[in-house]
Amino acid sequence: MTYEERIQNVSVIGAAGKMGSGILLLTALEMTDLSLLPENKEKTFVLNAIDVSPEGLSGLMKYLREQVRKTAEKKIVWLRKMYATRDDLVENYDIINEYIFDALNIVRPVSTISAAYASNIIFEAVSENRALKVKLLSDIDNHNSNNPWYFTNTSSVPIGLIEDEANLKGRVIGFHFYNPPAVQRLVELIKTDNTLVEVVEFSHLYAKKLRKIIVPSNDFAGFIGNGHFMRDALHGMNEAQALATEKNIPLYKAIYIINKVTQDYLVRPMGIFQLIDYVGIDVVQFILGVMNPFFKDEDLHSELLDKMMLQGTKGGQMSSGAQKDGFLKYKGARVTSVWDIHKQEYVDIDKFQEECNEMMGNMPDSAVDWKSIIRNKNKDTLLSGFFNDLKSSENLGAKTAISYGKKSMEIANKLVADQVAQEVDHVNTVMLTGFFHAYGPVNNFFE
Amino acid sequence: MKRKVYMTGGFNTISMGTGRKEFHPKKPRPGLEDYIRKAGKGTLDQIGGADNVDEGVIGNFMASRFNKQANLPGFVPYIDEKLQWKPATSVEGACASGGLALISGIKSVLAETADVVLSLGVEVQNTVKAMYCADILAGAGWYQNRKNGHAYFFPGQNSDRAGAYYEKVGYDKARSGMKQWFINAMENARLDETAQEHQNKVADLGALYDKLKPNGTAFVDHLNVLDCSKVSDGASAIAICSEEGLERTGVDKKDAIEVMGFAQSIRNITNAPTDLTELETIKKASQRALENAGITIDQVGTIETHDCFSIAGVLSTEAIGLAKDGEGWDYVASGNTARDGKMPMNTTGGLIGWGHPTGATGVHQAVTIWQQLTGKAGKSQIKITDDRPYGMTINMGGDDVTVVAIVYKRA
């Protein structure tokens, strides 16, 4: 079966979710573009958008219409060529509308899993629940006579376990998009011991056509991305608690300090507590829970997260994409206050940030911010100048930043030592592309 | 001309669109009527109010599609209630609509049916994204050519002209002229507060231009985006008066310019240009305007030409007769058209720098010449010498289809 033949019938399970809707969009666009090629004019492409939520599916179709329009607008030059023989389509407006129709016409929103029984390719993007994943995939496999291939958007559960328990015999691969899939270019690709060569080849071709960057990860719980992020997050929370004890300050002040160190001093797009909020405190807790049993020499667990969950502050995002309050409270993109875990209320940043900033000490003049440096050609020189100044400073902020940078490198090196990542470059690529860091965790800045 | 015709009281709104800090595509913005009123009032304030006006003319290209609005004469009394019950009309000739609004006013004065005409040009285009804007502007070409035309129809047509010019004179030579045209446009626009590129702060314009190689996959084959004018919202207005009319407004003659000659020329829209490297209609219209004014190009001190694309700017230097056939690139690259050059052109930035609210452009050109010849150009002011006291505007609609050329002198 060729690539085109195989991709003629695809199902996405969990299609209305945050990850599923992105995967559905990208796949719909890829299928639509293929369908426009002269050699495919007579073929029918089917993309089942399967989800238990009818409301979700209705929202998905609206999302698709908007996103397909945006994409069509960007590739109007190419689309005019594709629709050149259609005399009824004259203006860009006509052509873009036709493309939107053609894309939506491929998508079949349904709430029954049986739609997947005729597919050759199944993308699974349900919640990070091993039993649910196994149940769904084995059900499809028992009813589908095409020997379909399964691409699972799993971020922490080892793929080999899913393969075994659903009896998929090499027809499965971890294809882990980053959030949001339509924008983030990184895909972690996780083979099991049995994954068929053809499945791997298809994955590479499909990722290439979606213009994604593939980083291979070995099949260890958490893979590279969560392997680094979860440990980095745990470190951040531990540092905040240690700082609170050492300086005898309330935890919320320490949280403010560590968040500022990880954002401003380490030149990252977000501080670590903001990132935990962005991902969702519940999600971080859950993923740690999935990973923990697989690592005997580590305790991947945070009591602080448990407390936050008990207090009902969960972070995460609203369906509009707006940030929900977690460790930090937000107004738009701005942090306005920090959660006080003892009094169970938010404390206005204005009341204590000056005091905390004073504790941290002045930033050196060489300081650079993430936004201005991320696309700067002299990024490395500028970063190295800044970090060198931090190293020679005795300030609390500077010292915390340097030790944090070293810890981040230690985590990355351990991922290679533990054979989660095949090489250091892979970890760096994941952090650079999946987390938009300005530099990889393995570097010469903090030595 | 059988009667003296003057222009005075020129006014431009800001040319709004990308490049202006205050522009935000997703926030509400002033509408068509707001621009008409703002520009109209700007002129009325300088000529003693609406009582002095006999007639209004609005030049506009595609409000019918950009704003879903036709019957524009109805907006003339919206400028000022005192214009109600007076005659008003609107004229259309694509991007030369503004030029036609000027000519319409001139003709009314010549016909002695009016002594003071408020001529106004307007276009509010940011109501749609660029790829839909391209559809609408394509109406300046023959509709039968739309299907096989480029997604970005007019950039596509000018890209073809640029491609032909590259073949004729060589790619690097042609690009060097187009690059200098772009640099002049930005540097001039920075001096005029109403220009869309007024806030442009690019340190090395030449390097930026060189970096953006034309890319046919994303845009057109032979032009980059810097070769093109942007999508603009804006309006310009000016009063056109007879001798008596000028007196009625109370404006001192030294604050007015006199129309010394004008010409209009039309090329059959259903035909392709005979030679892609020649702007034939501009050539005919500008020659005739000079003849009608009874002068030669050597007596002209500054020109506003229709540079919707840098290639059109370069080719116009040949069409006007400033440069020989195939040498326009050199004429521009050598600095002749810069503000301190032999023939300063588009001294407030032209269409690429000041902006191109299509229906307003022709009037904006007249306002710039009025400012320059009467010493009102502020930071943009160039020196006008006694031996070359004339100014000229050339306004083009479509691909060298509808052209209006006017010659002026300080009154």
Side-chain angles (χ1 to χ4, degrees):
Chain A
M1 213 184 263
T2 64
Y3 176 83
E4 275 85 358
E5 284 163 347
R6 192 163 288 280
I7 209 165
Q8 264 184 266
N9 195 316
V10 179
S11 290
V12 176
I13 310 170
K18 187 131 200 171
M19 301 303 284
S21 57
I23 296 168
L24 191 94
L25 168 67
L26 295 171
T27 309
L29 292 169
E30 164 67 358
M31 291 168 76
T32 311
D33 289 356
L34 283 172
S35 77
L36 293 179
L37 299 175
E39 62 268 31
N40 295 331
K41 281 275 156 70
E42 301 306 315
K43 294 176 191 155
T44 304
F45 288 77
V46 172
L47 174 58
N48 299 304
I50 304 174
D51 201 282
V52 287
S53 161
E55 298 81 12
L57 287 173
S58 169
L60 171 72
M61 296 310 284
K62 285 182 188 150
Y63 166 79
L64 283 180
R65 192 180 61 173
E66 257 172 52
Q67 296 302 316
V68 174
R69 174 175 294 280
K70 282 186 187 165
T71 308
E73 287 170 350
K74 281 183 199 146
K75 54 184 181 192
I76 182 62
V77 175
W78 181 74
L79 287 181
R80 276 196 88 87
K81 289 180 189 140
M82 289 299 108
Y83 289 101
T85 54
R86 285 283 300 274
D87 289 341
D88 56 325
L89 306 174
V90 177
E91 298 202 318
N92 294 339
Y93 185 79
D94 306 328
I95 287 165
I96 288 166
N97 279 347
E98 188 68 8
Y99 182 75
I100 295 168
F101 175 77
D102 284 347
L104 297 189
N105 195 25
I106 285 176
V107 178
R108 314 287 142 90
V110 283
S111 290
T112 46
I113 196 77
S114 56
Y117 296 170
S119 288
N120 305 314
I121 300 278
I122 319 285
F123 275 100
E124 175 275 302
V126 300
S127 60
E128 194 70 6
N129 178 330
R130 175 167 150 195
L132 176 65
K133 285 172 189 273
V134 168
K135 178 172 163 276
L136 289 170
L137 299 195
S138 55
D139 175 79
I140 295 169
D141 213 49
N142 288 335
H143 294 90
N144 185 318
S145 56
N146 298 340
N147 280 327
W149 295 349
Y150 299 90
F151 297 80
T152 171
N153 186 62
T154 297
S155 65
S156 56
V157 181
I159 312 300
L161 292 180
I162 298 173
E163 178 184 45
D164 275 355
E165 291 168 20
N167 196 24
L168 301 177
K169 299 194 184 78
R171 287 179 287 110
V172 63
I173 194 161
F175 203 93
H176 179 214
F177 285 91
Y178 274 65
N179 185 14
V183 178
Q184 285 266 30
R185 295 198 63 196
L186 180 68
V187 166
E188 275 183 288
L189 194 67
I190 307 113
K191 287 190 281 183
T192 71
D193 292 340
N194 312 309
T195 302
L196 301 170
V197 180
E198 299 90 317
V199 177
V200 179
E201 284 169 356
F202 180 93
S203 300
H204 279 278
L205 184 54
Y206 171 78
K208 192 177 159 199
K209 299 199 73 174
L210 266 51
R211 292 198 284 173
K212 298 292 173 194
I213 297 166
I214 279 195
V215 172
S217 170
N218 289 331
D219 194 15
F220 286 91
F223 316 121
I224 298 174
N226 278 326
H228 190 281
F229 168 49
M230 290 298 146
R231 290 175 177 95
D232 199 66
L234 277 178
H235 178 64
M237 290 185 279
N238 292 339
E239 284 283 283
Q241 284 170 306
L243 185 68
T245 312
E246 188 194 321
K247 300 283 177 193
N248 196 22
I249 53 172
L251 182 61
Y252 65 85
K253 290 186 185 173
I255 287 176
Y256 168 84
I257 291 175
I258 296 302
N259 195 61
K260 189 174 166 70
V261 163
T262 44
Q263 179 163 14
D264 295 350
Y265 286 71
L266 292 180
V267 201
R268 291 180 177 181
M270 293 182 187
I272 191 67
F273 285 97
Q274 190 181 351
L275 182 58
I276 295 171
D277 285 349
Y278 176 81
V279 172
I281 290 171
D282 50 347
V283 176
V284 174
Q285 186 198 39
F286 185 83
I287 292 176
L288 283 169
V290 172
M291 288 170 66
N292 203 20
F294 295 97
F295 298 92
K296 301 288 174 236
D297 57 336
E298 283 178 281
D299 182 23
L300 298 177
H301 171 248
S302 159
E303 281 176 17
L304 181 55
L305 287 183
D306 296 346
K307 271 189 208 162
M308 292 295 284
M309 286 298 288
L310 283 175
Q311 295 180 2
T313 34
K314 294 184 190 171
Q317 287 152 70
M318 302 185 216
S319 57
S320 66
Q323 179 65 47
K324 289 186 200 165
D325 299 331
F327 280 109
L328 312 171
K329 192 178 166 83
Y330 305 85
K331 191 172 182 186
R334 204 165 50 86
V335 176
T336 58
S337 50
V338 184
W339 183 250
D340 181 342
I341 203 157
H342 300 297
K343 290 189 181 156
Q344 301 197 26
E345 61 187 23
Y346 283 101
V347 188
D348 208 335
I349 268 190
D350 293 338
K351 289 183 183 151
F352 62 87
Q353 70 173 346
E354 230 169 89
E355 175 202 338
C356 289
N357 291 349
E358 220 162 89
M359 276 177 70
M360 295 168 81
N362 287 336
M363 292 265 268
D365 292 341
S366 56
V368 286
D369 69 288
W370 176 82
K371 209 173 176 180
S372 67
I373 207 166
I374 187 78
R375 291 181 214 291
N376 192 315
K377 273 186 211 147
N378 301 320
K379 193 170 73 174
D380 285 352
T381 319
L382 292 166
L383 283 171
S384 154
F386 175 41
F387 291 141
N388 279 337
D389 286 347
L390 288 186
K391 276 188 279 189
S392 59
S393 166
E394 288 297 311
N395 284 343
L396 174 69
K399 284 169 76 174
T400 314
I402 297 300
S403 90
Y404 208 110
K406 284 181 182 164
K407 178 69 185 181
S408 174
M409 176 157 22
E410 191 187 308
I411 293 169
N413 282 326
K414 190 170 184 300
L415 286 171
V416 181
D418 290 347
Q419 295 182 324
V420 177
Q422 289 159 17
E423 48 190 89
V424 157
D425 267 359
H426 290 168
V427 188
N428 279 351
T429 306
V430 168
M431 299 315 288
L432 288 165
T433 54
F435 289 80
F436 291 119
H437 281 196
Y439 56 94
V442 181
N443 54 62
N444 300 318
F445 296 135
F446 303 107
E447 290 294 281
Chain B
M1 302 217 292
K2 65 172 192 175
R3 209 179 176 210
K4 280 189 182 283
V5 180
Y6 300 94
M7 289 193 194
T8 192
F11 185 89
N12 300 315
T13 68
I14 283 171
S15 176
M16 190 55 71
T18 56
R20 292 293 303 198
K21 278 197 189 115
E22 59 271 51
F23 175 74
H24 193 290
K26 285 183 182 154
K27 287 193 180 150
R29 290 182 302 280
L32 180 72
E33 64 277 25
D34 302 310
Y35 278 98
I36 293 174
R37 179 185 259 177
K38 178 138 202 207
K41 274 195 182 305
T43 292
L44 292 182
D45 287 349
Q46 301 176 63
I47 60 165
D51 279 337
N52 288 333
V53 174
D54 298 320
E55 182 186 329
V57 189
I58 294 188
N60 175 267
F61 174 21
M62 275 285 189
S64 52
R65 292 194 66 189
F66 282 122
N67 320 99
K68 307 197 189 320
Q69 179 67 59
N71 204 3
L72 298 189
F75 288 96
V76 171
Y78 180 75
I79 300 168
D80 190 309
E81 272 182 30
K82 288 176 185 160
L83 294 172
Q84 189 140 265
W85 319 128
K86 290 184 181 180
T89 185
S90 70
V91 288
E92 190 273 314
C95 303
S97 300
L100 293 181
L102 296 174
I103 284 196
S104 175
I106 293 170
K107 286 181 177 172
S108 281
V109 171
L110 287 176
E112 300 184 29
T113 57
D115 286 306
V116 178
V117 178
L118 176 63
S119 277
L120 196 144
V122 65
E123 206 76 56
V124 174
Q125 303 176 280
N126 280 297
T127 51
V128 294
K129 289 187 182 175
M131 65 295 300
Y132 307 116
C133 186
D135 280 336
I136 295 175
L137 297 180
W142 185 27
Y143 77 99
Q144 297 275 21
N145 288 338
R146 179 61 184 129
K147 177 61 187 170
N148 294 324
H150 196 277
Y152 294 94
F153 187 78
F154 267 93
Q157 299 225 308
N158 280 269
S159 168
D160 293 348
R161 283 192 180 270
Y165 198 60
Y166 298 161
E167 289 221 340
K168 182 171 172 178
V169 306
Y171 178 84
D172 291 338
K173 287 177 177 174
R175 290 298 288 173
S176 71
M178 291 158 74
K179 173 162 102 177
Q180 191 57 47
W181 191 275
F182 160 72
I183 293 172
N184 293 349
M186 295 302 119
E187 288 180 346
N188 287 339
R190 286 170 182 172
L191 301 172
D192 185 342
E193 283 176 9
T194 60
Q196 197 162 336
E197 292 291 346
H198 174 62
Q199 295 142 327
N200 181 303
K201 285 195 178 66
V202 177
D204 191 341
L205 291 164
L208 174 70
Y209 186 89
D210 290 338
K211 205 171 88 179
L212 289 175
K213 300 268 180 259
N215 172 5
T217 329
F219 189 45
V220 294
D221 289 340
H222 304 300
L223 302 176
N224 67 32
V225 291
L226 305 177
D227 289 308
C228 310
S229 52
K230 290 182 163 181
V231 176
S232 316
D233 299 348
S236 293
I238 201 161
I240 302 175
C241 312
S242 65
E243 189 88 46
E244 298 78 17
L246 188 64
E247 213 162 284
R248 189 201 296 167
T249 64
V251 173
D252 196 318
K253 238 183 205 179
K254 72 170 173 42
D255 294 326
I257 50 176
E258 187 182 344
V259 177
M260 306 307 292
F262 67 93
Q264 199 208 339
S265 191
I266 300 289
R267 188 175 69 75
N268 182 340
I269 197 171
T270 65
N271 291 341
T274 329
D275 176 354
L276 283 174
T277 65
E278 190 187 18
L279 296 173
E280 211 179 343
T281 321
I282 286 191
K283 190 175 188 175
K284 291 187 193 311
S286 59
Q287 277 175 1
R288 211 178 305 147
L290 290 169
E291 278 167 30
N292 291 345
I295 63 163
T296 64
I297 192 71
D298 306 329
Q299 291 168 273
V300 175
T302 180
I303 298 173
E304 289 294 303
T305 193
H306 197 97
D307 63 331
C308 40
F309 300 90
S310 61
I311 182 67
V314 169
L315 293 180
S316 75
T317 63
E318 296 177 16
I320 299 166
L322 295 165
K324 284 188 195 141
D325 182 40
E327 291 179 8
W329 67 270
D330 187 36
Y331 186 80
V332 177
S334 311
N336 290 306
T337 59
R339 57 187 307 100
D340 56 354
K342 204 151 79 182
M343 177 63 83
M345 290 174 86
N346 296 9
T347 56
T348 55
L351 284 63
I352 292 176
W354 188 82
H356 186 26
T358 45
T361 290
V363 181
H364 170 255
Q365 293 177 324
V367 173
T368 295
I369 292 293
W370 169 73
Q371 289 169 330
Q372 291 292 7
L373 297 188
T374 58
K376 296 182 193 305
K379 287 184 184 162
S380 303
Q381 188 65 51
I382 54 162
K383 197 169 163 45
I384 302 291
T385 55
D386 291 344
D387 58 330
R388 289 167 59 203
Y390 296 90
M392 179 155 79
T393 56
I394 294 161
N395 186 203
M396 171 174 80
D399 187 16
D400 195 37
V401 170
T402 302
V403 177
V404 175
I406 306 177
V407 175
Y408 318 75
K409 191 182 166 218
R410 188 174 194 168

